Amino acid sequence: MRQTFRRYMLVLTLLLMAVAGGWAQTFTLKGLVTDDEGNALELATVSCAEQGKVVLTNLKGEYQITLQTADSVVVKFSMVGFKARTRTLYKPQGTQTLRILLRSSQELGEVVVTEKKRQTDQVEQLDLTALKGTPSASGNAVEELIQQQAGVSTHNELSSQYNVRGGSFDENSVYINNVEVYRPLLIRSGQQEGLSVINPDMVESVAFSSGGFPAKYGDKMSSALDITYRRPKKFEATATASLLGASGYVGLSSKKFSMSHGLRYKTNRYLLGSLETTGEYRPNQLDYQTYITYEPNRRWTLALLGNISENHYNFKPKDRETSFGTMQDAKSFRVYFDGQEKDIFRTLFGTASLTRHIGDSTHVKLLWSAFHTKEQERYDIQGQYWLNEAQSAEQLGVGTYAEHARNYLTANVQSVKLMLNRRLRHHDIEAALTYKWEHVKEQSREYEMRDSSGYSVPHTGNRLDLIYTLASKLDLKSNRLEGYVQDTYKWNSGGRADSVEGHRTFYSLTYGLRFSNWSYNRETTLSPRLSLAVVPAFNPDLTFRLATGLYYQAPFFKELRDTTTVGGITVAKLNSNIKSQRSLQVFAAVDYRFKMLGGRPFKFTAEAYFKSMSNLVPYNVQNVKITYYGENLCSGYAAGVDLKLFGEFVPGTDSWLTLSLMRTQQKMDGQWLPTPTDQRYALNLHFTDYFPGTERWKMTLRLAYADGLPFGAPHRGIDAQNFRAPAYKRADIGMSYLAFKSENGRRSPLNIKSVWLGLDCLNLFGISNVNSYYWVTDVTNRQWAVPNYLTGRQINGKITVDF
């Protein structure tokens, strides 16, 4: 009996040992992940899908993961921008060491990227695949991509400008290859705008921040857009033609030398033909850019960037008829025009940089840049109008108005910038010092006359006054000294490398200080900035972000123009006592990565912000023209929440949905008033899909629904902004067909890589969006706001050939 019991116990012990050895035996896999040049890849993903384990490489590219032993264990190594690799281990035991090399996806043709780069600061890297095949009214693909981001809005499809979280157009900084670029200063309407300075065919990366950006970006209060142009690795070319213009790009490269050239032509005559004001529209713009780099050895790099742009806007209006009001109170406004407008905007921009590479971790760069613009705005337009009741034809007002302008502006800005980059084990240090020379000359003469039913408005009874007149002759010469130093410190802490969660808590702290001194107002500003990102050990799919900083809006020429009216004549002068606008900003955000719809990747982002602003320079907005008061008169605030859902709603495509809620006000003379950019809500959708059963047919849908902005009668103060425009609603849809694609290894005629045919329907539902208002005064001195509608429904065809 005792021997039988011993036999059973022995068998049971052997069974338990077998179970423990078969089910609970583990092994440790560790190693290093590098790129094809031997550089360590931080935050690369190491995963075993069968066992539900995932870890991230540390700052030195090292990883360690504990897995269960099996006959075969499949481990995947991946990172955005690199080709994912898998390794199969057969009956692994003990400690295994594996070094993995990930190759760049740029050298592999078409690669399916299964995850997006994790955002560990307030600057987001945008996916450029959305630039192709997207319906576009303005032809400025990068800016239209920005306009669809959370917290960003636009109310004019003809314009490349945008508002960010309650800021004006002038509060957005734009950089190309580390150099800040400028826009024309006399632009007053979207019709006048041509192509922006950014050529989408030449862009390699787009980084955008809607707030909380680091010290490297200049003295603007709302946003930073950082563009990097591509250095071609081999021959590449693209040609595009449509009813709205054409573009061509070619890139060449050798071992030490590369160059790219881009030529763009735009004419939106066809699009402007859908406006209510008929006439002869003859707008056109030509833009040429080149980017050249030379590397004689690994220690030196020379880069040149040049841009020549000329924009002509010629317009002879003929007539206009607008119906507005409600069903019960409809009005009809009819105008017959005489006169014309001729505008020229000529821009030159160039940069030269010399970089000294001191080892692999230190770079010193010397940058020179120059910007020149010569702008002319000339128009003499007279209109005879009738305002009637639409149903009864009762005449409410009849009159004549005349508008005259002779505006000339020349601006030159040169800068020299010295930059230093140093990468250490846990730190990425960057510093720069910039000196700028600025010279702006303006000579303007404007007036507007209104004659309503035989009475000049305003009617004084004893003399003839114009409703508006301006005389300006200004000359600004100034110097500006700017500098910054910032550091990004990354480290891991907490948890164990072999913990159940699979990785340690990751931290990324970016802190810096920016200073600026302007000779014109003798003002010096200091701007400290701080942001922190945390990837917790308990859930690697979460990222928490916090940011704060003191931001300044350094004044430039437009903010300085202070106007005074004496004897019915408005005179502009420069205010040398103006100070920088100031904003104390706080941000809190969370990113959550997850999978749904059959395991496809998604990311949800929620961000809240608050801005406390002081020394504000109030302004009015008419169309896209901003007119400043020229004095620091207000304080204010902006607060809101931005939500964004990004992911593959359709396999292999990126789509996103954004919702923004905001409130922004300013206090003037003890009274709280909404700012001209007080957009209380905005909803945007970018959706991409393929036709069932084929990837040759592609559809892109863009929807925008945004709250209307405050407005009031022209030539009055912001306290007269008592009305709010209707909501901006727009839908654009584009269809693309891959007509030709060369097969791998086969040479096609003319070395054509692909041919895409596109058909866009702009303003799909034909919604009449209001851009601005024309104010008509009748004999009772009652003013009527007649809406100026934007473009109607239009069809645009295009063809794109890649070589």
Side-chain angles (χ1 to χ4, degrees):
M1 200 60 188
R2 183 176 297 175
Q3 292 179 352
T4 303
F5 177 75
R6 289 178 176 175
R7 291 194 189 99
Y8 283 129
M9 291 298 296
L10 178 61
V11 172
L12 181 60
T13 301
L14 293 175
L15 288 174
L16 290 174
M17 291 177 62
V19 170
W23 290 355
Q25 185 173 351
T26 62
F27 74 98
T28 299
L29 179 65
K30 65 179 183 178
L32 181 68
V33 180
T34 65
D35 60 16
D36 49 9
E37 295 182 356
N39 300 314
L41 295 179
E42 61 184 48
L43 298 181
T45 302
V46 182
S47 61
C48 179
E50 296 176 348
Q51 301 184 21
K53 294 290 187 70
V54 58
V55 299
L56 302 176
T57 59
N58 61 18
L59 302 179
K60 296 185 292 184
E62 300 171 342
Y63 69 91
Q64 182 172 317
I65 184 172
T66 301
L67 301 170
Q68 294 181 4
T69 299
D71 290 338
S72 63
V73 178
V74 179
V75 182
K76 182 179 180 180
F77 303 83
S78 61
M79 186 175 181
V80 63
F82 294 85
K83 175 68 174 178
R85 301 187 66 179
T86 58
R87 287 291 182 267
T88 303
L89 307 177
Y90 296 97
K91 296 181 179 181
Q93 296 181 356
T95 299
Q96 303 275 334
T97 301
L98 191 60
R99 178 167 179 164
I100 295 296
L101 185 149
L102 298 182
R103 297 189 181 278
S104 173
S105 60
Q106 296 179 353
E107 303 176 0
L108 298 171
E110 296 186 5
V111 175
V112 178
V113 180
T114 58
E115 60 179 287
K116 304 298 179 183
K117 183 178 180 181
R118 186 188 301 271
Q119 183 179 345
T120 57
D121 55 18
Q122 289 297 107
V123 182
E124 180 182 8
Q125 296 289 332
L126 301 183
D127 191 348
L128 299 184
T129 57
L131 296 180
K132 293 187 177 181
T134 300
S136 172
S138 69
N140 300 310
V142 173
E143 285 85 353
E144 290 187 343
L145 176 64
I146 299 299
Q147 291 169 358
Q148 299 176 74
Q149 303 306 309
V152 185
S153 64
T154 181
H155 289 76
N156 191 337
E157 64 270 9
L158 295 174
S159 174
S160 63
Q161 305 193 59
Y162 48 86
N163 303 111
V164 180
R165 292 176 173 173
S168 71
F169 306 138
D170 296 330
E171 295 178 24
N172 307 313
S173 61
V174 180
Y175 289 80
I176 297 181
N177 290 4
N178 295 305
V179 175
E180 186 174 8
V181 298
Y182 298 84
R183 302 176 185 269
L185 300 176
L186 290 183
I187 292 291
R188 60 181 173 86
S189 70
Q191 292 92 313
Q192 292 175 305
E193 280 196 38
L195 294 163
S196 76
V197 68
I198 304 172
N199 188 330
D201 292 332
M202 303 175 68
V203 172
E204 179 181 55
S205 66
V206 175
F208 178 71
S209 174
S210 56
F213 40 88
K216 67 181 292 185
Y217 299 115
D219 296 306
K220 303 287 186 179
M221 291 197 304
S222 289
S223 74
L225 176 60
D226 192 352
I227 303 295
T228 301
Y229 273 3
R230 180 172 64 253
R231 296 173 58 182
K233 305 297 183 182
K234 55 184 179 181
F235 173 79
E236 55 187 23
T238 300
T240 302
S242 75
L243 298 178
L244 301 179
S247 66
Y249 162 79
V250 60
L252 303 170
S253 178
S254 64
K255 186 175 181 180
K256 298 182 179 180
F257 179 81
S258 70
M259 67 176 177
S260 55
H261 305 273
L263 183 65
R264 295 179 293 167
Y265 171 75
K266 175 184 176 181
T267 174
N268 53 4
R269 181 188 310 179
Y270 170 69
L271 192 61
L272 296 179
S274 64
L275 297 175
E276 289 189 331
T277 300
T278 63
E280 183 180 350
Y281 291 93
R282 291 186 293 116
N284 58 82
Q285 181 181 10
L286 192 64
D287 177 277
Y288 168 74
Q289 297 189 32
T290 182
Y291 180 44
I292 301 172
T293 63
Y294 175 62
E295 287 187 347
N297 49 56
R298 296 187 61 182
R299 297 187 300 273
W300 294 96
T301 301
L302 175 66
L304 302 174
L305 173 63
N307 170 229
I308 302 174
S309 175
E310 182 151 332
N311 176 22
H312 292 257
Y313 178 73
N314 300 319
F315 174 44
K316 291 183 178 181
K318 181 180 179 182
D319 58 50
R320 162 186 172 175
E321 185 169 357
T322 302
S323 298
F324 64 100
T326 63
M327 292 292 293
Q328 294 76 21
D329 188 21
K331 302 292 186 295
S332 174
F333 180 68
R334 183 180 305 165
V335 188
Y336 295 97
F337 295 101
D338 187 21
Q340 64 180 337
E341 177 177 356
K342 289 187 175 183
D343 304 329
I344 300 176
F345 303 91
R346 185 177 295 114
T347 303
L348 304 175
F349 172 68
T351 71
S353 67
L354 181 64
T355 305
R356 175 67 164 94
H357 306 274
I358 306 173
D360 295 331
S361 59
T362 304
H363 312 284
V364 179
K365 178 180 292 187
L366 181 63
L367 272 162
W368 169 86
S369 68
F371 168 80
H372 168 80
T373 180
K374 186 175 183 180
E375 306 173 22
Q376 300 177 13
E377 185 183 44
R378 299 168 296 175
Y379 58 82
D380 285 285
I381 297 177
Q382 177 179 294
Q384 297 178 340
Y385 66 85
W386 286 262
L387 179 66
N388 301 325
E389 289 281 1
Q391 297 179 351
S392 64
E394 177 186 354
Q395 192 172 91
L396 300 176
V398 59
T400 302
Y401 72 86
E403 296 178 344
H404 164 90
R406 292 293 185 272
N407 299 329
Y408 304 93
L409 184 142
T410 302
N412 295 282
V413 180
Q414 292 191 62
S415 69
V416 175
K417 185 176 185 179
L418 181 64
M419 298 181 63
L420 170 67
N421 294 85
R422 173 71 171 168
R423 296 199 66 177
L424 303 175
R425 180 179 179 184
H426 294 285
H427 297 267
D428 189 352
I429 303 171
E430 183 175 334
L433 188 65
T434 306
Y435 192 77
K436 295 181 179 180
W437 298 266
E438 303 165 343
H439 186 198
V440 182
K441 293 179 64 177
E442 179 205 29
Q443 183 171 346
S444 297
R445 180 70 179 177
E446 299 179 5
Y447 67 77
E448 180 180 345
M449 183 273 291
R450 292 188 193 174
D451 185 349
S452 179
S453 296
Y455 290 91
S456 179
V457 180
H459 179 57
T460 62
N462 55 9
R463 74 178 193 181
L464 179 65
D465 284 336
L466 300 175
I467 193 171
Y468 167 71
T469 178
L470 170 68
S472 173
K473 188 174 183 180
L474 304 174
D475 193 339
L476 171 66
K477 293 182 180 180
S478 61
N479 301 320
R480 203 182 298 262
L481 180 65
E482 302 173 345
Y484 70 87
V485 58
Q486 73 175 47
D487 176 33
T488 299
Y489 176 42
K490 299 179 180 180
W491 75 99
N492 298 311
S493 68
R496 297 170 18 228
D498 58 350
S499 62
V500 175
E501 290 79 14
H503 76 290
R504 303 178 182 180
T505 299
F506 172 80
Y507 299 89
S508 178
L509 177 65
T510 300
Y511 54 97
L513 178 67
R514 184 178 186 88
F515 79 91
S516 176
N517 176 268
W518 195 28
S519 64
Y520 189 76
N521 63 356
R522 300 175 298 279
E523 180 189 30
T524 300
T525 60
L526 293 176
S527 175
R529 305 175 188 181
L530 175 72
S531 67
L532 173 67
V534 180
V535 182
F538 63 83
N539 190 341
D541 292 323
L542 281 173
T543 303
F544 298 100
R545 292 183 282 114
L546 298 171
T548 185
L550 183 61
Y551 293 82
Y552 288 90
Q553 177 78 17
F556 195 49
F557 180 76
K558 293 168 65 175
E559 292 94 326
L560 295 177
R561 295 176 82 250
D562 186 11
T563 57
T564 56
T565 302
V566 179
I569 299 178
T570 302
V571 179
K573 63 179 182 179
L574 298 179
N575 180 11
S576 60
N577 296 319
I578 198 169
K579 300 299 180 183
S580 297
Q581 302 177 83
R582 185 169 56 202
S583 175
L584 177 62
Q585 305 181 6
V586 180
F587 303 85
V590 59
D591 301 326
Y592 176 55
R593 303 191 305 175
F594 61 97
K595 293 185 178 181
M596 66 177 187
L597 302 179
R600 296 197 290 272
F602 285 82
K603 186 178 80 168
F604 175 75
T605 298
E607 183 164 349
Y609 59 91
F610 179 81
K611 305 178 184 179
S612 177
M613 298 176 287
S614 59
N615 287 342
L616 294 182
V617 181
Y619 59 89
N620 289 312
V621 179
Q622 183 72 5
N623 204 316
V624 299
K625 181 181 180 180
I626 300 178
T627 303
Y628 290 91
Y629 276 55
E631 296 182 77
N632 304 101
L633 300 176
C634 297
S635 59
Y637 73 90
V641 176
D642 293 329
L643 308 175
K644 181 177 180 180
L645 178 62
F646 181 96
E648 294 187 14
F649 292 89
V650 175
T653 67
D654 290 332
S655 303
W656 62 87
L657 175 69
T658 67
L659 173 64
S660 299
L661 304 174
M662 184 194 67
R663 183 66 169 166
T664 176
Q665 290 185 310
Q666 56 189 347
K667 189 176 183 180
M668 184 175 183
D669 296 330
Q671 182 182 4
W672 284 102
L673 304 168
T675 67
T677 57
D678 181 34
Q679 180 180 275
R680 297 168 297 186
Y681 60 85
L683 182 68
N684 286 282
L685 172 67
H686 182 105
F687 182 76
T688 307
D689 194 5
Y690 289 105
F691 274 46
T694 178
E695 292 188 356
R696 286 186 173 269
W697 283 98
K698 183 180 179 180
M699 182 276 293
T700 301
L701 175 67
R702 292 178 51 191
L703 300 177
Y705 187 88
D707 185 25
L709 300 178
F711 74 96
H715 315 308
R716 295 192 179 183
I718 59 174
D719 54 344
Q721 307 285 317
N722 301 321
F723 308 97
R724 188 174 288 270
Y728 180 83
K729 296 163 285 188
R730 186 174 176 89
D732 298 326
I733 189 170
M735 310 294 295
S736 300
Y737 174 66
L738 182 58
F740 173 80
K741 180 180 180 181
S742 65
E743 301 296 334
N744 294 332
R746 295 185 180 181
R747 294 181 61 87
S748 62
L750 302 177
N751 290 325
I752 295 177
K753 180 181 178 182
S754 63
V755 177
W756 284 91
L757 303 178
L759 187 66
D760 299 339
C761 183
L762 306 174
N763 197 356
L764 176 64
F765 301 116
I767 299 173
S768 297
N769 288 304
V770 178
N771 177 38
S772 58
Y773 289 86
Y774 183 78
W775 291 79
V776 178
T777 307
D778 60 19
V779 291
T780 64
N781 207 30
R782 183 179 180 182
Q783 288 191 321
W784 300 84
V786 182
N788 298 317
Y789 292 115
L790 286 164
T791 58
R793 183 190 297 112
Q794 290 290 85
I795 302 297
N796 181 34
K798 59 184 177 182
I799 178 173
T800 301
V801 182
D802 294 323
F803 298 90

